[in-house]
Amino acid sequence: MQTDLLLSVSLRYWQDFQDTLAEVVDANIYVFDAKGNIFSSFSKDVAPCKKINQGNTLSNEECINFYKGALVSLKDKNILTCPYGNRLYVYPLGSSVHKIGSLVVAPKNGKITPEGEGEKSFIAKANNISQTVNEVLKAILEKNLLGLRSLELNSIYEISRLMTSTIELEKVIDLITNSLIIIYRANLAFVGLREDDKIKIAKAKGKMGELLTGKEFSMLHPLMEKVFSKVEPSFLSMQELQNFIDFSDLKMSPEDKILLYPLWTSVGSVGLLGITFPTNAMSGEEIKNLQIYVNFAAISLANARLITRLEKEAETDFLTGLYNKRSIINLLISERERTIRYKNPLAVIFIDIDDFKSYNDAFGHVAGDVVLQRLAEVIKNSIRKIDIAGRYGGEEFVLILPGTQEEGALAVAERIRKSIAQHPFPHRNITVSSGVTMAQEGDSAHSLLERADRALYKAKRQGKNCSCLI
Amino acid sequence: MSTPAEEKISRYESLLQEMWTTSAQYLGAFSVKLLVERVAWEISQDYKEMELLYFDENGISCAEIANAVKINPDIPIDDMFMKFISKYVEILARLLGYEQTNKIASKLKEEFPDFPIDPKEE
């Protein structure tokens, strides 16, 4: 049950009800929340109270402190005398397990003779008021809770439908973080994805979220081992989280709680989901419903990751990590269209390892594979981020250089050739020959590659370990 | 001829539509629908007429609220809509960050200078 009356009960409707009840029973009534803060205004004009507080709302500091001190620890009904001598009949609201506030009933004129006949009959009236208020409050809270559950379950249903049909990882992560903040009123929500023995925060939204995105932590950390040793969520204090990820910039209220859900699927853990919220803001029921949501999130993330991996594998050369032949042709088609549209230059370089067959024959294919991997590294380190490198086949590599003129392309080919010639490959030195060409009017991806290939063979004919332009 | 209250509701409807469209560019229509659903439910605790707000993936309609105002002109439409906008912007700021939300708010204020749409920095 919510302990914050302001979050659970409409003050606007409550005040109307309270005023009507006060009118009927001819007594002053007002309500405080569980922390002893005023919730509703006085229902009747009680002369001293109205004068002291200059209106119907509690504002006098002495009165405020008196109620705070007296009501927070109130366990059972009691009779109090306020600092201004008024007799007050106070009752805890809610159940014995969940106190949600306090009710104050006071005589209309503020004064009553203690333990006299008048007080006895007023106490009987106040007891009835307390019972009515408690029952009405219970009905309102139950109705609100039902409404909230219905909203929450409906949202979970809709999200689960969408998540299981969404395959883009980014979209799935966005959907998860957005819905956690919207449905569960989280101050901060984040999704961490497992990468080998690490968890990397893929996205964090909410208070300080931008500072958390990208942070990494080891799965071997005792805290993570604890989180992943079970299916249920783990509770952490904000201090524990700050210490754990060494993140003193994450300034949250010390009263905030963090809930970490491990994301499990049948093939193991895919990551974790974390949300922070003020203490007591989430009920046990909400935490259980969130578990249903988390199970869907785990499956969706696992599916989206699998598809992302398959897509990446389909376009990547397994040995070198560069683009494969199919991707390089597709990318060249796109780049060619772009250069035609924007009238920008486009250069293509074909690179071939000189005498690679003899290297393989002499030192074996495993050593040959090491050469291909290291050579790919040299190429990657010699080009800009916007350039594209791929393994075309065997020992042939293709580079696509958007926006690069003839001299620039030749310079890149020469830089790579020299770097490779100086690189300490296993067993012996390696050299490459390069064919460079520029996109011309009427060129297709195929004709460009064909001309770069001709330039390459010209370089081979010129004695290898050189670059030629056609 | 429409009454001042109807005109006012029509202005609020245009503003909510614009808020929906602009937020959907950043969050996607699904998250925006979820957000509107959540805020409408919360505001309906104080203003039952908010239950009459109609919305689906295509946007928002205040037609039923306008009909309710014809029957009961005392409905506090300004309070109700302003609380809706304030709550919406508060959650939007959590989702998009203060700076992005402020940009959206500034853009909306150009078109709707008479409505206070100010995100609070957390």
Side-chain angles (χ1 to χ4, degrees):
Chain A
M1 188 188 280
Q2 280 280 3
T3 53
D4 189 346
L5 277 179
L6 274 173
L7 287 178
S8 322
V9 179
S10 160
L11 178 59
R12 183 166 163 248
Y13 294 118
W14 177 264
Q15 191 71 49
D16 283 350
F17 160 74
Q18 186 193 290
D19 292 350
T20 311
L21 183 65
E23 195 66 46
V24 171
V25 297
D26 200 23
N28 190 19
I29 302 173
Y30 42 107
V31 170
F32 291 79
D33 72 11
K35 290 175 183 165
N37 300 312
I38 185 79
F39 174 68
S40 59
S41 301
F42 305 132
S43 278
K44 282 265 176 186
D45 288 344
V46 184
C49 299
K50 198 177 172 187
K51 197 175 167 194
I52 292 160
N53 289 284
Q54 294 170 343
N56 278 353
T57 306
L58 196 68
S59 62
N60 176 278
E61 204 164 320
E62 199 177 359
C63 294
I64 293 172
N65 290 337
F66 162 74
Y67 283 112
K68 256 197 193 280
L71 300 181
V72 171
S73 56
L74 183 78
K75 293 266 186 291
D76 205 353
K77 62 183 177 184
N78 204 353
I79 302 172
L80 306 172
T81 305
C82 84
Y84 294 92
N86 294 320
R87 294 282 275 178
L88 308 169
Y89 303 84
V90 294
Y91 297 83
L93 294 172
S95 66
S96 54
V97 186
H98 289 290
K99 184 184 157 190
I100 58 168
S102 306
L103 165 75
V104 179
V105 185
K108 191 169 74 168
N109 57 12
K111 303 286 176 199
I112 203 160
T113 313
E115 293 173 26
E117 275 308 309
E119 182 167 63
K120 273 187 196 163
S121 79
F122 191 82
I123 289 174
K125 184 158 67 174
N127 284 345
N128 285 337
I129 294 170
S130 145
Q131 210 174 342
T132 307
V133 165
N134 241 330
E135 276 173 18
V136 171
L137 209 50
K138 194 176 157 201
I140 293 174
L141 290 176
E142 278 176 2
K143 182 184 161 281
N144 285 357
L145 202 62
L146 273 177
L148 188 61
R149 288 286 159 274
S150 156
L151 179 79
E152 191 186 347
L153 285 175
N154 189 43
S155 306
I156 291 174
Y157 166 73
E158 297 240 4
I159 289 164
S160 60
R161 261 185 356 148
L162 192 69
M163 278 204 299
T164 44
S165 61
T166 305
I167 50 170
E168 294 99 325
L169 187 60
E170 271 293 310
K171 275 191 187 171
V172 171
I173 294 172
D174 254 340
L175 204 56
I176 293 171
T177 45
N178 286 350
S179 48
L180 286 175
I181 285 182
I182 296 169
I183 305 173
Y184 293 98
R185 295 149 301 182
N187 289 337
L188 170 72
F190 57 88
V191 171
L193 290 180
R194 185 177 174 176
E195 289 176 4
D196 301 321
D197 60 350
K198 276 185 190 162
I199 294 281
K200 187 175 181 182
I201 306 290
K203 183 150 283 179
K205 283 193 177 182
K207 210 172 170 185
M208 321 283 285
E210 71 281 7
L211 296 175
L212 201 57
T213 304
K215 289 267 172 193
E216 285 183 352
F217 36 88
S218 169
M219 282 195 72
L220 304 173
H221 189 285
L223 197 68
M224 277 297 102
E225 284 184 345
K226 190 182 125 195
V227 169
F228 283 97
S229 67
K230 53 185 187 172
V231 177
E232 297 80 24
S234 300
F235 283 91
L236 258 69
S237 68
M238 198 44 69
Q239 189 61 50
E240 279 177 299
L241 179 75
Q242 283 168 336
N243 292 345
F244 164 56
I245 53 175
D246 187 22
F247 194 18
S248 53
D249 290 343
L250 191 68
K251 288 186 180 65
M252 308 284 275
S253 161
E255 286 183 8
D256 277 358
K257 279 273 177 197
I258 177 156
L259 200 52
L260 288 182
Y261 281 88
L263 297 171
W264 287 104
T265 67
S266 55
V267 290
S269 63
V270 282
L272 62 79
L273 193 147
I275 67 171
T276 72
F277 52 89
T279 315
N280 297 333
M282 274 179 83
S283 66
E285 199 65 31
E286 274 179 308
I287 290 170
K288 269 190 205 163
N289 284 346
L290 188 52
Q291 181 75 60
I292 303 172
Y293 175 82
V294 166
N295 294 342
F296 276 112
I299 296 167
S300 310
L301 279 173
N303 285 344
R305 287 200 90 181
L306 182 67
I307 287 171
T308 307
R309 203 182 77 203
L310 289 175
E311 279 173 351
K312 193 165 167 47
E313 279 175 9
E315 62 182 25
T316 310
D317 173 56
F318 176 73
L319 186 67
T320 60
L322 299 179
Y323 285 109
N324 60 22
K325 183 174 177 176
R326 187 176 57 188
S327 299
I328 217 77
I329 292 172
N330 288 338
L331 288 165
L332 186 55
I333 291 168
S334 308
E335 285 303 328
R336 181 69 192 120
E337 283 168 1
R338 209 195 311 266
T339 52
I340 291 168
R341 201 178 318 131
Y342 298 110
K343 298 187 170 47
N344 286 336
L346 176 70
V348 173
I349 305 176
F350 230 122
I351 298 172
D352 187 84
I353 303 176
D354 298 327
D355 308 314
F356 191 56
K357 186 176 179 305
S358 69
Y359 187 97
N360 272 338
D361 289 345
F363 309 111
H365 284 90
V366 175
D369 283 353
V370 173
V371 169
L372 290 168
Q373 283 168 333
R374 293 221 189 147
L375 194 131
E377 279 303 312
V378 174
I379 291 175
K380 265 190 258 181
N381 295 333
S382 309
I383 56 175
R384 303 168 300 177
K385 274 191 176 167
I386 57 159
D387 297 333
I388 298 160
R391 185 177 170 206
Y392 197 73
E395 66 269 32
E396 290 173 328
F397 295 84
V398 168
L399 301 185
I400 303 169
L401 312 177
T404 305
Q405 301 283 6
E406 203 173 279
E407 314 82 69
L410 263 174
V412 171
E414 276 299 284
R415 189 166 66 233
I416 291 173
R417 187 187 66 75
K418 284 175 187 165
S419 299
I420 289 168
Q422 288 162 9
H423 188 86
F425 286 99
H427 307 299
R428 71 162 161 84
N429 285 348
I430 294 288
T431 62
V432 294
S433 302
S434 302
V436 182
T437 195
M438 299 299 300
Q440 296 163 8
E441 210 180 321
D443 258 339
S444 63
H446 178 76
S447 65
L448 256 171
L449 283 171
E450 190 267 332
R451 200 162 56 248
D453 194 37
R454 272 197 285 128
L456 169 66
Y457 278 90
K458 189 177 166 194
K460 293 276 184 190
R461 282 197 302 275
Q462 284 181 6
K464 301 174 184 168
N465 192 19
C466 64
S467 308
C468 275
L469 174 87
I470 289 186
Chain B
M1 208 174 126
S2 55
T3 64
E6 282 173 302
E7 278 171 21
K8 205 184 269 186
I9 291 172
S10 166
R11 283 281 289 161
Y12 278 118
E13 185 180 64
S14 307
L15 173 62
L16 296 191
Q17 280 284 11
E18 197 55 41
M19 282 167 68
W20 178 294
T21 313
T22 318
S23 323
Q25 288 166 8
Y26 299 92
L27 295 174
F30 181 84
S31 292
V32 174
K33 183 172 164 271
L34 206 62
L35 175 56
V36 170
E37 194 173 10
R38 170 83 214 188
V39 175
W41 181 82
E42 217 159 305
I43 302 303
S44 73
Q45 302 302 299
D46 269 339
Y47 305 90
K48 293 289 163 208
E49 295 75 21
M50 190 46 84
E51 287 174 1
L52 300 171
L53 186 77
Y54 177 81
F55 52 89
D56 60 20
E57 270 83 359
N58 302 315
I60 292 185
S61 163
C62 298
E64 289 299 315
I65 297 178
N67 286 339
V69 171
K70 275 182 203 161
I71 299 162
N72 176 13
D74 294 333
I75 295 171
I77 25 179
D78 285 322
D79 283 359
M80 181 172 80
F81 279 110
M82 288 323 297
K83 281 192 178 157
F84 181 97
I85 293 163
S86 155
K87 190 81 204 166
Y88 184 99
V89 173
E90 180 197 320
I91 302 178
L92 193 67
R94 268 189 207 176
L95 294 166
L96 299 178
Y98 172 76
E99 275 182 30
Q100 194 69 62
T101 308
N102 205 24
K103 271 188 205 164
I104 294 176
S106 305
K107 203 180 139 197
L108 288 169
K109 275 163 98 175
E110 281 172 21
E111 206 175 329
F112 301 92
D114 41 337
F115 297 130
I117 317 161
D118 295 303
K120 290 188 190 97
E121 198 162 12
E122 284 193 84

